[in-house]
Amino acid sequence: MEEHFVWVTTRRIKPGALEEFERAWRPAPSPQGLRRAYAYWSEDGQEVTGVSFWDTGEACDAWRASEAESRRREAMAPYVVEEREGFYRGRELGIGSA
């Protein structure tokens, strides 16, 4: 099975700030080595979890250390109350019917 390199970030944001936060959140240009990215919001719009899949752990680390990522985090900062993140390796689980 294919191994995945995944960066997961969960942020609690200020009430009513989801739209502004989302505009600040999107990186431009797209980071090198980023395969896919997903965003999930809580029903109240105050918690956002981002899940991104990378070619390698090094590609993710390079993005996280980049000036572009620093600027993106600066742009998000006025809307963020709390942030948690982690980097993971894993693979898809085969789900079959009996």
Side-chain angles (χ1 to χ4, degrees), residues 62-72 74:
W63 167 252
R64 292 171 68 189
S66 72
E67 181 63 32
E69 173 62 354
S70 293
R71 286 192 306 270
R72 188 179 78 96
E74 253 180 53

Side-chain angles (χ1 to χ4, degrees), residues 33 47-49 58 67 71 78-79 88 90:
E47 188 169 277
V48 180
T49 297
E58 292 79 13
E67 181 63 32
R71 286 192 306 270
Y79 313 110
Y88 305 91

Side-chain angles (χ1 to χ4, degrees), residues 11-55:
R11 295 177 177 94
R12 193 163 51 89
I13 60 173
K14 294 178 181 176
L18 181 59
E19 190 174 315
E20 293 88 356
F21 171 80
E22 187 179 20
R23 275 196 296 272
W25 188 28
R26 295 183 183 275
S30 182
Q32 186 173 359
L34 176 64
R35 288 185 182 185
R36 300 185 292 284
Y38 300 89
Y40 304 95
W41 293 265
S42 60
E43 279 193 46
D44 65 6
Q46 292 183 19
E47 188 169 277
V48 180
T49 297
V51 180
S52 56
F53 292 80
W54 296 82
D55 289 338

